[in-house]
Amino acid sequence: MAISTSPGVIASSEAVAPAADQPAVRIPTPAGKKKKGDGLTALAYLAPGFTGFVFFIVVPLIGSLVISLFEWPLFGSPTFIGFANYEKLFGDPTFYTVLLNTVIFAFVYTAVNLALALGVSLWLTTKLKFSGFWRVIFFLPAITPMVANALIWRLMLSQDGLLNSLLGTFGIEGASWLSDSRFALLAVITMSVWQSFGYNVIVLSAGLGGIPKEILEASRVDGTSAWNRLRFIILPMISPSLFFTMTMTMIGAFQVFVQPQILTQGGPGESTNTFVLYLYRNGFVFDKLGYASALAWILFIVVMLITALQFAGQKKWVNYDK
Amino acid sequence: MTSDTVTRPRRVKTRMRPAQRRTAVKTWANTAAIAVVALVFTFPFIWMFFTALKPEDEVFSSSPTFVGSEVRWQNFSDAWTLVPFGRFIFNGFFVSILGALLSIIVAVLSAYAFSRLRFKFRDRLFLLYVLTLVLPQEVLVVPLFIMMNKLGLVDTYAALIVPFAFTAFGTFLMRQFFLTIPLEYEEAALIDGASRFRTLWSVLLPQLTAPLSVLAVFSFIGYYNSYLWPLIVINSQDLATVPLGLSMFTGERGTQWSLMMAAATLAVIPSLIIVALLQRQLIKGVALGGFGGR
């Protein structure tokens, strides 16, 4: 598998499938050993990773489901309560609020993020000096600690922060962006997009770089308009990268935590409370680990569903043959 | 056009010149435009830095300026002493370096098994690994916390480092690279009687320094920036990593924005250095996918 040309290695089903049925490269072993395979050696190499994998991923995943059936305080002994946490959850108005907030966040954030990333990465393919440098610039906030990023935005967006005093010089009275429920979620989304779209610029740039120049040249010679070139050549050719960025960005979006936690503490009211923030609070502030685990499993199911839907939908628009 | 070039090169040359100049002007105009956008884009960092140098009572002002009535470099030393910020940075590096090392060891050994050895259920097991790539880690924090608590590891470095070193991504990435290396090299070494580990160490790994550095950089950044897990599992200031330490700032004596921005600047600097030094690895890693989307 040519690694360098497949930014969608994880996302494309093709990447997974051959791994499963195509035998990985084999080292010929002496005839006598052939039947046994490399069982013991393999065990030695795999043991550290696999132990950790089971202990820190598989067990907690199942454990999360088990814990969700208990009333489980941080300290003290748990009591089995069956599906009571789930029943409570479906009767909890805050659950619906955080679910809705998270869904709105995820879709708006992913859409704006991809649109911007696509725009910027297309811009970077035009005649530019230092295009590599600009690409890195847009990537900076994706590397700096999210908590620091969010604190800077909290300062700039606060009631008498920079944004409002700039608006003031134009005679516009700015809103209290972070404590007005009409704007708070928008502020969280804006900050998040600023922080992360540089990731996708790089992925999409790699996709764009993979388009053979001759194809674009040929279409230019044929007199195709820039829009048609984008619509009928560029987008289909980078559709695997687009699909990959869309899927990963969406998965990431459902995990949003730091931005609302630092910018708005989920407020005002519950207007920027998100799924993971609510999960964190239930588990580690309100002392309800069982309830938090029920939330975690719902999150898991929602993310899996959305990812599955995206994979199902990719057949309609993602083009893997090159 | 092409026939022109062949028959009358000189005339074409003179005709091309203004066009070329026009292209050059266009290129520079385009560059200037993106420079402006980039400046606006990075403005939050610029504002952070200038705020860090202001006296506290000038942070909010109706007519904002970059430089206040005095340039207070002292804010940086105040931020450094108000909370043990040096300690946070040390913790951040300590945890991130050990975490990255552990992640690499695990990934290399597992990837070797998955790409070079034959054993029962290999491909099914690998598929299980791949499936967990889309698992949100937040789903795991509650049981992980309970495990750490039972093991008496709450509020320790081990709790920060160990649980997140076993994610499938490193294994997945390294396996992809192992598969690109032809077997001939190893066969020769194995036939010469080198052990498998020797082959891995001195034949395979030297060819994989690029992907190894990609994995190292991204593991490091993942650990360095992690916030939710340290927030859950660390109670004492002495063990706080940088993001956790920064968030502690809000609690100390109300919010002093100038000091907070000084601290944010200190927190951001290591990341900026990493980007400046290792941009090639970073770009490669992101382009390969899998690190995106946090």
Side-chain angles (χ1 to χ4, degrees):
Chain A
M1 178 170 302
I3 244 283
S4 54
T5 58
S6 47
V9 270
I10 299 175
S12 83
S13 51
E14 269 93 319
V16 176
D21 42 51
Q22 178 197 80
V25 257
R26 284 171 180 176
I27 291 183
T29 39
K33 277 186 183 171
K34 199 150 198 176
K35 265 180 205 161
K36 271 163 65 188
D38 306 304
L40 279 179
T41 325
L43 190 68
Y45 280 88
L46 210 54
F50 186 64
T51 312
F53 181 77
V54 169
F55 204 65
F56 296 113
I57 294 174
V58 179
V59 168
L61 183 60
I62 298 162
S64 194
L65 188 61
V66 175
I67 294 163
S68 74
L69 305 175
F70 284 81
E71 191 178 296
W72 200 306
L74 270 175
F75 303 100
S77 49
T79 6
F80 182 79
I81 52 167
F83 290 98
N85 278 325
Y86 291 91
E87 277 165 38
K88 208 169 94 195
L89 197 145
F90 289 114
D92 176 1
T94 312
F95 165 70
Y96 294 102
T97 310
V98 299
L99 184 61
L100 184 66
N101 286 342
T102 310
V103 169
I104 294 173
F105 176 88
F107 280 85
V108 177
Y109 163 81
T110 305
V112 178
N113 186 323
L114 283 193
L116 266 180
L118 185 62
V120 170
S121 51
L122 283 170
W123 193 359
L124 290 174
T125 61
T126 59
K127 286 213 166 64
L128 267 178
K129 297 278 172 193
F130 326 118
S131 65
F133 174 74
W134 306 122
R135 197 173 46 171
V136 170
I137 287 286
F138 289 110
F139 181 56
L140 278 182
I143 294 299
T144 53
M146 222 187 264
V147 172
N149 295 345
L151 284 171
I152 303 167
W153 278 70
R154 197 166 106 196
L155 171 69
M156 294 196 310
L157 296 183
S158 63
Q159 181 77 64
D160 24 67
L162 181 67
L163 179 62
N164 281 351
S165 38
L166 283 182
L167 287 174
T169 58
F170 294 106
I172 305 165
E173 199 180 327
S176 32
W177 307 105
L178 298 175
S179 47
D180 183 328
S181 60
R182 285 171 303 168
F183 300 113
L185 191 58
L186 190 68
V188 172
I189 292 172
T190 309
M191 185 264 150
S192 306
V193 170
W194 169 79
Q195 168 174 270
S196 307
F197 85 91
Y199 256 115
N200 292 341
V201 170
I202 290 176
V203 180
L204 294 179
S205 290
L208 288 170
I211 300 178
K213 289 232 161 48
E214 303 80 51
I215 296 184
L216 293 177
E217 275 308 314
S219 77
R220 221 171 269 143
V221 171
D222 289 348
T224 322
S225 72
W227 168 252
N228 280 341
R229 230 178 5 252
L230 176 68
R231 174 75 186 73
F232 296 108
I233 299 173
I234 298 178
L235 288 184
M237 291 203 77
I238 61 165
S239 56
S241 308
L242 274 176
F243 171 71
F244 173 74
T245 48
M246 191 178 89
T247 312
M248 294 309 278
T249 307
M250 190 71 98
I251 293 174
F254 272 91
Q255 301 169 41
V256 58
F257 168 73
V258 176
Q259 300 93 311
Q261 159 88 346
I262 301 285
L263 277 176
T264 57
Q265 291 79 49
E270 306 286 355
S271 59
T272 55
N273 202 352
T274 61
F275 218 109
V276 175
L277 182 53
Y278 194 49
L279 185 163
Y280 165 75
R281 285 186 178 164
N282 270 295
F284 302 97
V285 181
F286 309 148
D287 199 18
K288 296 190 285 193
L289 291 174
Y291 196 65
S293 291
L295 280 166
W297 258 79
I298 300 285
L299 173 70
F300 178 52
I301 290 167
V302 169
V303 169
M304 290 299 131
L305 262 179
I306 296 225
T307 309
L309 279 177
Q310 283 177 302
F311 268 89
Q314 69 165 327
K315 288 186 195 96
K316 290 210 174 114
W317 64 280
V318 182
N319 183 5
Y320 282 112
D321 41 70
K322 284 203 169 162
Chain B
M1 183 79 174
T2 36
S3 62
D4 266 12
T5 331
V6 177
T7 50
R8 278 177 287 184
R10 195 174 271 172
R11 238 188 94 190
V12 169
K13 216 176 170 188
T14 46
R15 226 198 293 155
M16 286 292 277
R17 254 191 208 138
Q20 268 174 346
R21 202 174 301 140
R22 226 177 300 138
T23 332
V25 169
K26 251 189 190 166
T27 306
W28 280 105
N30 200 12
T31 307
I34 206 165
V36 171
V37 171
L39 192 68
V40 173
F41 181 81
T42 45
F43 191 79
F45 291 127
I46 299 168
W47 190 245
M48 163 190 79
F49 179 67
F50 281 104
T51 305
L53 293 173
K54 282 179 188 170
E56 180 61 27
D57 55 0
E58 292 172 28
V59 168
F60 298 103
S61 138
S62 52
S63 48
T65 51
F66 281 110
V67 183
S69 59
E70 56 168 322
V71 177
R72 283 179 60 98
W73 290 101
Q74 199 193 326
N75 284 345
F76 282 93
S77 53
D78 287 356
W80 194 269
T81 46
L82 181 64
V83 291
F85 212 80
R87 180 81 200 210
F88 300 156
I89 291 182
F90 168 80
N91 289 340
F93 272 81
F94 182 72
V95 166
S96 308
I97 289 171
L98 285 185
L101 267 177
L102 187 59
S103 306
I104 287 176
I105 293 171
V106 164
V108 165
L109 292 178
S110 310
Y112 183 79
F114 279 124
S115 64
R116 290 297 196 259
L117 302 172
R118 284 179 301 132
F119 51 95
K120 242 181 161 184
F121 306 123
R122 181 188 68 192
D123 296 337
R124 251 174 268 176
L125 188 60
F126 186 68
L127 190 64
L128 178 68
Y129 269 60
V130 169
L131 287 178
T132 64
L133 288 173
V134 291
L135 174 72
Q137 292 195 324
E138 288 75 8
V139 175
L140 310 178
V141 294
V142 168
L144 280 177
F145 173 81
I146 293 173
M147 280 164 69
M148 293 299 127
N149 198 20
K150 290 261 189 294
L151 294 168
L153 290 176
V154 169
D155 216 20
T156 60
Y157 282 126
L160 286 176
I161 296 168
V162 180
F164 294 99
F166 298 91
T167 51
F169 188 74
T171 303
F172 177 81
L173 183 79
M174 291 317 296
R175 176 182 173 276
Q176 297 294 87
F177 280 105
F178 278 16
L179 292 182
T180 64
I181 294 182
L183 290 174
E184 284 78 40
Y185 300 102
E186 292 155 80
E187 277 164 8
L190 283 173
I191 288 164
D192 285 351
S195 69
R196 281 199 179 274
F197 186 74
R198 183 79 200 279
T199 326
L200 170 63
W201 184 258
S202 44
V203 179
L204 272 174
L205 289 190
Q207 301 181 59
L208 291 169
T209 47
L212 281 173
S213 59
V214 168
L215 183 58
V217 171
F218 276 88
S219 309
F220 182 95
I221 291 169
Y223 275 101
Y224 189 80
N225 290 345
S226 163
Y227 178 58
L228 177 61
W229 180 244
L231 181 65
I232 289 170
V233 87
I234 295 301
N235 305 318
S236 56
Q237 220 181 33
D238 280 351
L239 292 175
T241 51
V242 172
L244 188 58
L246 263 183
S247 72
M248 281 177 178
F249 241 89
T250 334
E252 304 280 324
R253 295 201 240 149
T255 303
Q256 296 195 45
W257 279 104
S258 54
L259 297 193
M260 178 113 90
M261 286 301 112
T265 308
L266 295 170
V268 161
I269 285 172
S271 312
L272 296 185
I273 293 174
I274 287 176
V275 173
L277 294 180
L278 301 169
Q279 42 177 297
R280 216 177 319 130
Q281 279 83 350
L282 287 167
I283 294 214
K284 202 167 176 189
V286 176
L288 286 172
F291 292 112
R294 65 172 183 173

